[in-house]
């Protein structure tokens, strides 16, 4: 993962609120490159990602000639002496851990004009490092390196060799930045995404299935409604019919009075409507517009359909629970009970004995 993408990931964590809870665990490594000339005028270059930026250090690069404090290698005290000043090319202070706080070491070197401060670990710690906290010195690049590497540079400088050091930003590490966690988060993201897609696919398929069932049910009901409509009485109004002579009679669907020659349909509830008005209505609603009478039920069409469905279903069996002694039994009633005690006996003999004793 490149530095740019890593910084974008940090920005994402910050915006998502995860940065605040993970800041204490995230740290950045530093790329440390040293360059010096050997006795045979051959330049030696060494580079490793072996430094760790201080918690309060800016994530910037730095470069310069490595310089040691005179006398105390730990660089403590209010004004330690370095054999360089700000008039020389940029230089980097290399100090040993111990005796005073990291902030004191860093500020002392900064006052002398150091471009950056490199702290190497105590003796016997190998190449291990720790996370420096230096809240009082947060405006200068400060990193820590291991004791082995630090002593190698110290010996070169003490022997009169000019060592040029280049510091650059490495990679973030921590619970949200380690490669393992990035893989874990990526896999978790794809699992959640796949599960979400599967869930929405299931919901969509279920909705389509229910919609298909609803359409088939509507189609079946329309078919039944057509059968019922064919069973309804149809009349042609003539002059002298009550529906024409009375002003109180009008079609409740189109709200128009009846005229001679109009073809009307008489529903099972005796309400009359224009045939061309009521038939589309019945196909959609199957009830009288005035009294809500269900024509399918009134004509028995729906009952026939229900009977066809129930004929395909298994018969219902009534079950009673019989209790006796410490056990419970479920007894199906598959026939009408007879008063003959010899035909119907209890499966639980203990219960049967209790019943006979009660008699």
């Amino acid at each position: 993962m490149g530095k740019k993408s890593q910084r974008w990931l940090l920005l994402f964590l910050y915006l998502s609120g995860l940065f605040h809870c993970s800041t204490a665990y995230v740290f950045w490594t530093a790329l440390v490159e040293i360059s010096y000339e050997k006795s045979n005028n051959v330049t030696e270059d060494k580079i490793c990602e072996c430094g760790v930026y201080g918690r309060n250090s800016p994530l910037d690069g730095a470069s310069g000639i490595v310089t040691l404090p005179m006398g105390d290698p730990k660089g403590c005290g209010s004004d330690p002496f370095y054999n360089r000043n700000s008039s020389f090319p940029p230089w980097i202070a290399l100090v040993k851990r111990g005796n005073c706080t990291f902030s004191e070491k860093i500020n002392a070197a900064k006052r002398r004009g150091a471009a950056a401060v490199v702290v190497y670990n105590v003796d016997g710690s190998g190449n291990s490092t720790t996370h420096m906290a230096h809240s009082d010195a947060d405006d200068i690049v400060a990193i820590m390196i291991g004791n082995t590497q630090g002593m190698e540079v110290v010996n070169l400088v003490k022997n009169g060799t000019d060592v040029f050091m280049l510091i650059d930003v490495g990679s973030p590490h921590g619970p949200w930045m380690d490669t393992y966690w990035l893989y874990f988060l990526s896999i978790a993201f794809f699992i959640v995404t796949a599960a979400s897609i599967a869930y929405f696919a299931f919901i969509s398929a279920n909705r389509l299935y229910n919609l298909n069932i609803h359409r088939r049910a509507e189609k079946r009901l329309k078919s039944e409604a057509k059968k019922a409509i064919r069973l309804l009485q149809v009349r042609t109004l003539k002059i002298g019919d009550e529906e024409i002579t009375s002003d109180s009679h009008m079609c409740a669907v189109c709200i128009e009075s009846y005229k001679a020659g109009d073809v009307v349909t008489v529903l099972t509830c005796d309400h009359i409507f224009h045939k061309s008005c009521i038939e589309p209505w019945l196909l959609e609603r199957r009830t009288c517009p005035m009294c809500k009478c269900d024509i399918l039920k009134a004509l028995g069409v729906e009952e026939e359909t229900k009977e066809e469905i129930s004929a395909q279903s298994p018969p219902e069996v009534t079950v009673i629970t019989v209790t006796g002694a410490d056990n419970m039994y479920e007894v199906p009633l598959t026939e009408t009970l007879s008063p003959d005690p010899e035909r119907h006996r209890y499966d639980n003999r203990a219960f049967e004995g209790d019943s006979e004793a009660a008699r």
Side-chain angles (χ1 to χ4, degrees):
M1 180 178 290
K3 295 178 184 177
K4 188 174 181 181
S5 59
Q6 290 169 348
R7 290 175 182 176
W8 274 109
L9 183 57
L10 268 184
L11 178 62
F12 167 75
L13 292 174
Y14 177 83
L15 295 177
S16 63
L18 295 175
F19 182 82
H20 298 290
C21 63
S22 62
T23 301
Y25 306 102
V26 176
F27 64 93
W28 287 80
T29 56
L31 291 169
V32 180
E33 181 180 0
I34 59 173
S35 178
Y36 59 92
E37 287 188 4
K38 292 184 176 181
S39 57
N40 54 0
N41 294 327
V42 176
T43 301
E44 179 78 13
D45 292 318
K46 295 182 180 180
I47 185 171
C48 63
E49 191 173 353
C50 47
V52 177
Y53 274 88
R55 291 181 179 176
N56 306 101
S57 171
L59 291 177
D60 294 324
S63 62
I65 299 297
V66 177
T67 305
L68 305 178
M70 302 297 291
D72 182 13
K74 297 180 176 63
C76 295
S78 59
D79 195 19
F81 181 75
Y82 288 86
N83 194 22
R84 292 186 183 272
N85 55 48
S86 57
S87 62
F88 283 87
W91 58 279
I92 295 176
L94 179 63
V95 296
K96 191 174 184 179
R97 180 182 181 182
N99 283 3
C100 58
T101 65
F102 293 120
S103 295
E104 291 173 349
K105 296 175 186 292
I106 296 170
N107 283 328
K110 178 185 172 185
R111 285 193 296 269
R112 284 292 184 176
V117 179
V118 177
V119 180
Y120 60 96
N121 214 345
V122 295
D123 295 335
S125 60
N127 274 325
S128 64
T129 57
T130 186
H131 303 153
M132 296 190 300
H134 45 95
S135 57
D136 295 333
D138 56 357
D139 55 352
I140 183 173
V141 173
I143 69 170
M144 175 175 276
I145 61 176
N147 178 267
T148 303
Q149 185 186 23
M151 289 304 300
E152 179 185 353
V153 179
V154 167
N155 293 330
L156 287 171
V157 175
K158 285 183 175 181
N159 291 333
T161 303
D162 287 334
V163 180
F164 180 82
M165 180 177 289
L166 174 65
I167 301 171
D168 199 4
V169 181
S171 306
H173 295 271
W176 299 105
M177 292 298 153
D178 284 339
T179 304
Y180 170 80
W181 278 99
L182 289 176
Y183 287 146
F184 174 79
L185 291 175
S186 300
I187 294 172
F189 172 77
F190 286 119
I191 290 176
V192 171
T193 303
S196 300
I197 293 174
Y199 172 76
F200 285 115
F202 171 77
I203 293 297
S204 301
N206 188 52
R207 287 182 177 177
L208 290 174
Y209 175 75
N210 291 334
L211 182 61
N212 189 33
I213 290 179
H214 178 72
R215 287 176 177 173
R216 284 188 292 177
E218 285 293 322
K219 185 177 181 180
R220 182 183 61 81
L221 287 175
K222 282 187 178 182
S223 177
E224 299 299 331
K226 289 180 181 179
K227 294 180 183 178
I229 290 172
R230 287 195 292 267
L231 299 176
L232 295 174
Q233 179 186 358
V234 179
R235 292 171 45 198
T236 301
L237 297 181
K238 300 177 182 178
I239 298 175
D241 287 343
E242 181 183 358
E243 291 79 9
I244 298 176
T245 57
S246 175
D247 294 335
S248 61
H249 289 280
M250 65 175 56
C251 179
V253 179
C254 64
I255 319 298
E256 291 185 2
S257 301
Y258 297 111
K259 301 184 294 294
D262 287 349
V263 180
V264 296
T265 298
V266 183
L267 302 188
T268 55
C269 53
D270 293 332
H271 288 131
I272 298 176
F273 306 90
H274 288 125
K275 184 175 185 295
S276 59
C277 295
I278 194 60
E279 286 189 356
W281 175 283
L282 293 177
L283 285 175
E284 294 295 330
R285 296 170 178 82
R286 297 172 291 280
T287 57
C288 173
M290 297 180 67
C291 66
K292 304 300 180 184
C293 173
D294 192 329
I295 64 167
L296 296 183
K297 289 183 179 180
L299 295 174
V301 176
E302 189 176 48
E303 294 299 327
E304 291 176 1
T305 306
K306 288 182 178 179
E307 289 176 1
E308 291 176 1
I309 296 174
S310 61
Q312 301 174 358
S313 303
E316 295 183 357
V317 178
T318 304
V319 177
I320 63 172
T321 302
V322 179
T323 305
D326 296 329
N327 299 318
M328 297 179 65
Y329 299 88
E330 290 187 348
V331 181
L333 298 180
T334 55
E335 57 181 274
T336 306
L337 290 177
S338 169
D340 184 2
E342 298 299 327
R343 288 189 58 196
H344 300 278
R345 303 185 66 84
Y346 297 103
D347 290 340
N348 189 340
R349 299 300 178 183
F351 182 77
E352 183 178 3
D354 293 342
S355 300
E356 291 175 357
R359 296 176 188 170

